[in-house]
């Protein structure tokens, strides 16, 4: 509606200019709407644990002569406080990946280290559900980059990027795989080099045997605060921000994240990111523009 009004007002101008103006204003409005939604979502997400904390502290005061009840309420307060801390931490992470140029302090980041770090981060959660985690970092022998062949068939496979952001992205994917899987299942992380027209890529696939994601939800899970099942996500300490962070990190590194899933069978999230040697070589080949 508003876009139409704008086009009517600027109609006397050249048609191309009109189109540009309209597009510009619609884009500005869209960004504004996204921002408003985001603030509303953040406020809502903050209000929930804060409200719970407030009620629980009243309950503690009322139950001061019942030590057992006090214990119980205090335990729940701790859960809500943890939720609040997670949310604030994820908001900070999200704003960081959105605002910082990840390639400003880019370096070759070893994939086997990233994978080990992501698995360490989830070891406790996986252990309590008896979920087995297995990884396979592999780069075929004789491919041009990497060199340094090591025992067990693993060569040096590295991504050109920001270590902290890459660790956050992969950590989130492995964490989700564990969170959205039933007990005694398997989470696999497989990394390999694939060639692509723009240069070699590192492909990291995180596969689970979990609840899966419907086609309808697949389109939305990368949005901030979108959760298929909010109650389940909250129960595992989820904030709905994880995949938004993953998507941002992938895009800002010149890569992508995709999902394959079958409901009730499991999911595979795949990150494709520029391989270290390739990206650096490309940057060095670029003419100096100053
Ligand atoms: P959350 O903090 O809720 O995990 P994410 O942004 O990481 O937020 O994920 C968004 C939603 O996508 C989750 O709430 C969940 O419904 C769904 N999801 C993410 N990863 C998986 C997975 N491996 N299996 C099934 N569902 C998943």
């Amino acid at each position: 509606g508003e876009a139409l009004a704008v086009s009517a007002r600027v109609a006397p101008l050249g048609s191309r200019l009109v189109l540009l103006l309209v597009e510009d204003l619609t884009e500005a409005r869209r960004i504004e709407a996204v921002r408003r939604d985001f603030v509303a979502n953040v406020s809502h997400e903050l209000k929930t644990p804060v409200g719970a904390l407030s009620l629980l502290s009243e309950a503690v005061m009322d139950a001061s002569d019942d030590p057992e009840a006090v214990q119980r309420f205090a335990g729940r307060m701790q859960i809500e406080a943890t939720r609040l801390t997670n949310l604030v931490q994820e908001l900070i992470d999200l704003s960081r990946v959105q605002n910082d140029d990840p390639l400003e302090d880019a370096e070759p980041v070893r994939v086997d280290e990233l994978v080990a770090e992501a698995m360490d981060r989830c070891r406790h959660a996986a252990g309590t559900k008896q979920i087995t985690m297995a990884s396979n970092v592999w780069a075929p022998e004789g491919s041009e980059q990497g060199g340094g062949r090591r025992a067990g068939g693993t060569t040096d496979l590295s991504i050109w990027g920001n270590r902290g952001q890459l660790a956050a992205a992969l950590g989130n994917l492995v964490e989700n795989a564990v969170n959205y899987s039933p007990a005694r299942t398997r989470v696999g992380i497989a990394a390999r080099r694939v060639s692509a027209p723009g240069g070699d890529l590192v492909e990291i696939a995180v596969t689970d045997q979990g609840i899966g994601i419907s086609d309808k939800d697949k389109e939305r899970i990368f949005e901030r605060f979108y959760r298929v099942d909010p109650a389940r996500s909250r129960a595992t300490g989820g904030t709905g921000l994880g995949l938004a962070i993953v998507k941002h990190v992938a895009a800002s590194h010149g890569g992508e994240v995709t999902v394959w899933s079958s409901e009730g069978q499991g999911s595979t999230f795949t990150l494709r990111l520029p391989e270290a040697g390739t990206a650096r070589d490309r940057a060095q080949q670029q003419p100096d523009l100053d």
Side-chain angles (χ1 to χ4, degrees):
E2 285 185 277
L4 277 178
V6 172
S7 79
R9 232 182 300 142
V10 292
L13 298 173
S15 64
R16 191 182 281 158
L17 179 62
V18 171
L19 205 65
L20 278 177
L21 273 173
V22 173
E23 271 174 8
D24 244 33
L25 288 167
T26 352
E27 175 64 5
R29 286 219 173 82
R30 196 189 62 79
I31 291 171
E32 173 57 21
V34 168
R35 197 193 57 81
R36 243 191 335 248
D37 277 1
F38 181 64
V39 172
N41 278 329
V42 171
S43 314
H44 175 78
E45 296 293 331
L46 287 171
K47 264 189 196 153
T48 310
V50 170
L53 278 170
S54 157
L55 287 174
L56 284 164
S57 66
E58 271 173 38
V60 166
M61 284 190 274
D62 291 345
S64 53
D65 50 353
D66 180 354
E68 239 172 68
V70 168
Q71 275 293 317
R72 206 167 56 238
F73 292 139
R76 284 176 52 195
M77 288 178 85
Q78 207 163 35
I79 293 172
E80 296 300 334
T82 305
R83 185 163 300 161
L84 207 49
T85 311
N86 284 350
L87 178 61
V88 170
Q89 184 55 53
E90 292 242 77
L91 281 170
I92 293 170
D93 286 350
L94 181 65
S95 92
R96 200 175 285 149
V97 304
Q98 284 181 330
N99 296 328
D100 296 357
D101 173 9
L103 301 182
E104 202 166 284
D105 41 21
E107 56 179 332
V109 183
R110 289 186 58 119
V111 174
D112 54 354
E113 289 175 7
L114 280 178
V115 169
E117 203 177 312
M119 284 168 68
D120 280 345
R121 180 169 148 178
C122 303
R123 196 146 335 256
H124 178 72
T128 56
K129 290 168 82 174
Q130 290 175 272
I131 289 176
T132 329
M133 291 192 289
S135 72
N136 180 13
V137 179
W138 189 73
E141 200 176 4
S143 50
E144 46 183 317
Q145 273 100 25
R149 202 176 148 74
R150 305 189 323 158
T154 305
T155 58
D156 291 339
L157 192 58
S158 297
I159 297 166
W160 183 250
N162 180 295
R163 173 178 291 275
Q165 293 200 8
L166 292 171
L170 188 60
N172 265 304
L173 290 183
V174 179
E175 216 165 64
N176 282 345
V178 171
N179 281 344
Y180 299 104
S181 291
R184 286 177 293 281
T185 52
R186 205 182 124 92
V187 169
I189 309 164
R192 59 183 187 133
R193 172 185 299 130
V194 293
S195 49
D200 284 355
L201 299 175
V202 173
E203 188 179 273
I204 310 178
V206 180
T207 301
D208 65 55
Q209 302 170 324
I211 58 176
I213 304 155
S214 73
D215 285 340
K216 178 173 87 26
D217 289 318
K218 257 178 232 165
E219 294 171 14
R220 303 206 55 196
I221 49 172
F222 293 97
E223 292 172 19
R224 296 173 300 196
F225 294 118
Y226 187 80
R227 299 138 156 156
V228 177
D229 177 354
R232 180 180 183 128
S233 162
R234 286 207 187 88
T236 60
T239 58
L241 292 173
L243 289 178
I245 292 174
V246 177
K247 189 179 170 186
H248 252 283
V249 171
S252 61
H253 279 75
E256 61 171 5
V257 56
T258 55
V259 59
W260 175 92
S261 185
S262 170
E263 266 181 291
Q265 308 264 333
S267 314
T268 297
F269 284 82
T270 305
L271 274 169
R272 283 186 202 83
L273 294 157
E275 216 240 327
T278 318
R280 198 179 38 220
D281 296 347
R282 212 186 297 132
Q284 278 168 358
Q285 279 159 13
Q286 253 163 32
D288 202 343
L289 296 174
D290 305 11

